[in-house]
Amino acid sequence: MIQPQISEAEYEVMKVIWDNEPVSTNEIVDIVTKTHNWNMRTVHTLISRLDKKGAICHKKEGRIFVYSSLIKKDEYIKTESKSFIKKFYDGTANKMVMNFIKNDMLSEEDIEELRNILNKKG
């Protein structure tokens, strides 16, 4: 399945759906508006776009629409990460990590966590 293009705003709604699915429209709106300064209409528009793109599906339960994802969060993140690394770092993750280190974008805790991950792989 080809992964739909999801905007940053749509991604914020997707995170709510992934973390709470199946989830009603009202629940999505309640959660999103607590963390973003968006009105209800904006959230409804984002939900509608995600539905049209095939990222989510809905079913009607009485008078309520309930949404579930059609793409898995881990697969989406994996695909987007690969695309990001390819676009900005010639497809190599080590260039990305080196850039983060050179520009002080990693905390000591981040670096220690990377060490632990690499030690487990070896």
Side-chain angles (χ1 to χ4, degrees):
M1 177 177 145
I2 295 175
Q3 187 168 277
Q5 288 292 108
I6 296 174
S7 71
E8 287 184 42
E10 291 165 347
Y11 180 70
E12 293 301 314
V13 173
M14 281 302 299
K15 289 192 299 187
V16 170
I17 294 169
W18 282 320
D19 291 344
N20 299 282
E21 64 186 313
V23 60
S24 73
T25 307
N26 291 340
E27 291 170 316
I28 296 168
V29 169
D30 287 344
I31 295 168
V32 171
T33 56
K34 285 179 184 172
T35 57
H36 295 79
N37 192 22
W38 299 340
N39 66 38
M40 182 175 65
R41 180 179 253 158
T42 299
V43 179
H44 281 272
T45 298
L46 294 169
I47 293 168
S48 177
R49 286 184 193 164
L50 288 166
D51 199 11
K52 287 177 185 167
K53 290 180 177 185
I56 61 175
C57 63
H58 69 273
K59 62 182 176 179
K60 194 168 183 182
E61 293 182 1
R63 298 174 66 164
I64 298 170
F65 283 98
V66 177
Y67 293 89
S68 297
S69 64
L70 291 173
I71 55 177
K72 295 182 180 187
K73 183 177 184 178
D74 58 341
E75 285 298 317
Y76 178 80
I77 291 170
K78 181 179 176 182
T79 301
E80 288 300 305
S81 296
K82 284 181 180 180
S83 175
F84 176 82
I85 291 169
K86 183 177 181 180
K87 181 177 180 178
F88 293 104
Y89 299 101
D90 299 324
T92 59
N94 64 326
K95 286 183 181 180
M96 180 185 71
V97 173
M98 291 304 297
N99 181 58
F100 284 11
I101 292 169
K102 286 179 187 175
N103 292 298
D104 291 325
M105 297 170 71
L106 296 175
S107 68
E108 287 300 321
E109 293 82 19
D110 293 332
I111 293 169
E112 187 60 32
E113 186 175 349
L114 283 171
R115 278 191 189 107
N116 290 335
I117 291 168
L118 292 170
N119 287 336
K120 289 177 185 175
K121 287 279 188 180

